Amino acid sequence: MALLMDPGAAPLTESEKADMDAIAAIKESAAREFKEHGNKFVKMGRKHYADAVDCYTKAIAQMEPLPPGPVADASVLFANRAHVNLLLGNHRRALDDAGRAVRLSPSNVKAYYRAAKAALALSLLFEAASFCRQGLEQDPANEELKKLIVQVDTQQREQDRQRAKVAQAVSAAKDLAAAIEKRGLSLRKAEYQELTGLKKPKLDEQDVLHWPVLLLYPEVMSKNSPPLSWDDNHAYTRDTIELYYQAGVDTVLSKSEILKFLLEGTVDSKSLSESLLDGEDGEYDTGKSSTVTSSGKGSVKWIKVQEGKTLQETLQRNDFIIPAIPVFFVVSSKSTFYKEFKAGNWSLP
């Protein structure tokens, strides 16, 4: 019996050959019928798209195993299933089907169009452009492909522009991070961003590092003290004010974390590939400890800034780990709050 023959075995008798021809005719008829049902389901709307995919799948199954070389009828089936998958938003499946349709029939222009559409939806712009050009080689006057390749080229230019912008931002951030490391400075997680926003240090063309600085007034921040109308008692004068910074237990940011901080707000985070930060992992080796031992209340202490010291000299102190941008606390030796602060009885609210 022909049904029991091994695949690829040549029929030995006329009867077996007739059986094989009959089976092929039945499968061809079934494939055609499934295809027609699939086309009807597509016309019936989105609720029936899954049924259409099922019909095209069954039609393809009737034609398998496919012989080597072009098979135009099978190409149409794969292209049709690709069309429905596009409508469903199954872009990867659509691309696979349309690509198979192209291989089965290099003259199938609709298959090129659907492959290009799916590739564009997946942001595979090189592949999308290639399918468009191959399709236009088959049909140079095809308006759909002409419009599509314009979209692909436009998106490619925008992608190239965005990549250049990201690369430029990353390069500038790496230069800035290197300048911070060169000066022996350490950074920790940003604080007070509700006050500072996304302000960051900047490096100018003369390799000068410019730091924004936040000055806070503990006396105003204290919950037990009313807001100052502004120093009616004239306690905050040049001769009486002192600057302090906070030292305590903090973790130094790694190089990649510093880069991410410096890039925040400059480029879309989605466009920032981790590969751009390759080789930047690990903590800065500035010789600073990541923790500061405190003899004050808890693990935090206040360090007075020495008069006459520059900002760079202050930031380079071993116990100053910068919270993204330098923060200094301003107190007055004439203020009633001064004793409370110096005694370590005040902490951040």
Side-chain angles (χ1 to χ4, degrees):
M1 290 290 294
L3 287 173
L4 301 178
M5 294 179 61
D6 293 331
L12 301 177
T13 66
E14 289 298 324
S15 176
E16 289 172 339
K17 183 177 180 181
D19 288 344
M20 293 290 288
D21 291 341
I23 292 169
I26 292 171
K27 293 182 70 175
E28 183 179 347
S29 176
R32 186 165 50 250
E33 186 174 348
F34 280 127
K35 175 188 171 184
E36 290 172 357
H37 285 312
N39 293 343
K40 289 178 182 179
F41 279 128
V42 173
K43 293 178 181 178
M44 291 169 67
R46 186 175 184 84
K47 290 183 179 180
H48 299 277
Y49 287 166
D51 295 322
V53 170
D54 185 56
C55 285
Y56 292 137
T57 301
K58 289 177 179 178
I60 291 169
Q62 293 298 320
M63 300 191 69
E64 291 177 338
L66 294 173
V71 184
D73 290 342
S75 176
V76 171
L77 290 172
F78 277 103
N80 285 1
R81 193 169 69 176
H83 171 62
V84 183
N85 274 318
L86 275 173
L87 295 174
L88 288 169
N90 299 329
H91 300 121
R92 174 54 64 182
R93 293 179 183 177
L95 180 57
D96 291 342
D97 278 347
R100 183 77 183 276
V102 165
R103 293 191 294 274
L104 286 167
S105 179
S107 62
N108 189 340
V109 177
K110 287 184 178 180
Y112 287 112
Y113 177 77
R114 289 162 187 171
K117 285 274 287 186
L120 179 59
L122 293 167
S123 296
L124 301 174
L125 302 185
F126 177 82
E127 291 84 346
S130 177
F131 282 122
C132 283
R133 293 189 178 95
Q134 291 178 68
L136 287 170
E137 288 176 3
Q138 299 296 324
D139 182 7
N142 190 286
E143 291 299 326
E144 287 184 320
L145 283 170
K146 287 181 180 180
K147 292 178 182 178
L148 188 58
I149 198 169
V150 170
Q151 294 180 41
V152 174
D153 289 342
T154 299
Q155 194 163 324
Q156 182 67 66
R157 287 193 296 271
E158 174 59 24
Q159 189 180 84
D160 292 343
R161 186 193 68 79
Q162 182 63 25
R163 284 176 176 170
K165 179 182 177 181
V166 170
Q168 184 178 16
V170 170
S171 177
K174 286 185 176 181
D175 288 343
L176 181 53
I180 292 172
E181 182 180 21
K182 178 182 177 182
R183 288 160 174 78
L185 310 180
S186 295
L187 271 64
R188 58 186 171 94
K189 187 177 179 180
E191 293 181 353
Y192 309 107
Q193 283 192 306
E194 69 277 9
L195 300 175
T196 65
L198 294 177
K199 291 187 182 298
K200 304 178 182 70
K202 295 182 180 180
L203 187 67
D204 67 19
E205 295 179 355
Q206 284 72 45
D207 197 38
V208 176
L209 193 57
H210 300 266
W211 284 92
V213 173
L214 178 63
L215 300 178
L216 296 178
Y217 292 76
E219 186 168 358
V220 178
M221 297 170 69
S222 175
K223 294 181 180 180
N224 299 322
S225 300
L228 300 177
S229 57
W230 184 243
D231 193 22
D232 288 339
N233 297 324
H234 303 288
Y236 285 82
T237 64
R238 175 66 186 82
D239 294 333
T240 62
I241 59 172
E242 297 176 357
L243 288 184
Y244 291 81
Y245 62 86
Q246 182 184 5
V249 179
D250 280 299
T251 302
V252 178
L253 294 181
S254 69
K255 292 185 179 182
S256 62
E257 288 170 333
I258 290 176
L259 280 178
K260 288 177 182 178
F261 157 68
L262 296 175
L263 286 166
E264 186 179 358
T266 62
V267 294
D268 183 0
S269 59
K270 293 180 181 179
S271 64
L272 185 59
S273 170
E274 288 295 329
S275 63
L276 292 173
L277 306 180
D278 283 349
E280 301 300 330
D281 289 333
E283 293 187 352
Y284 272 110
D285 184 14
T286 60
K288 294 188 180 183
S289 169
S290 64
T291 61
V292 178
T293 303
S294 171
S295 58
K297 184 178 180 181
S299 60
V300 173
K301 64 179 180 179
W302 304 100
I303 307 298
K304 183 179 178 181
V305 177
Q306 297 180 35
E307 186 79 17
K309 291 292 184 181
T310 66
L311 177 61
Q312 178 170 320
E313 290 172 331
T314 302
L315 297 182
Q316 287 175 329
R317 282 183 56 92
N318 190 63
D319 54 5
F320 200 157
I321 304 175
I322 306 166
I325 66 170
V327 178
F328 294 98
F329 295 81
V330 186
V331 295
S332 168
S333 59
K334 285 180 62 176
S335 169
T336 56
F337 172 77
Y338 186 68
K339 290 183 178 180
E340 179 183 354
F341 181 82
K342 290 287 287 184
N345 296 328
W346 182 85
S347 60
L348 288 168

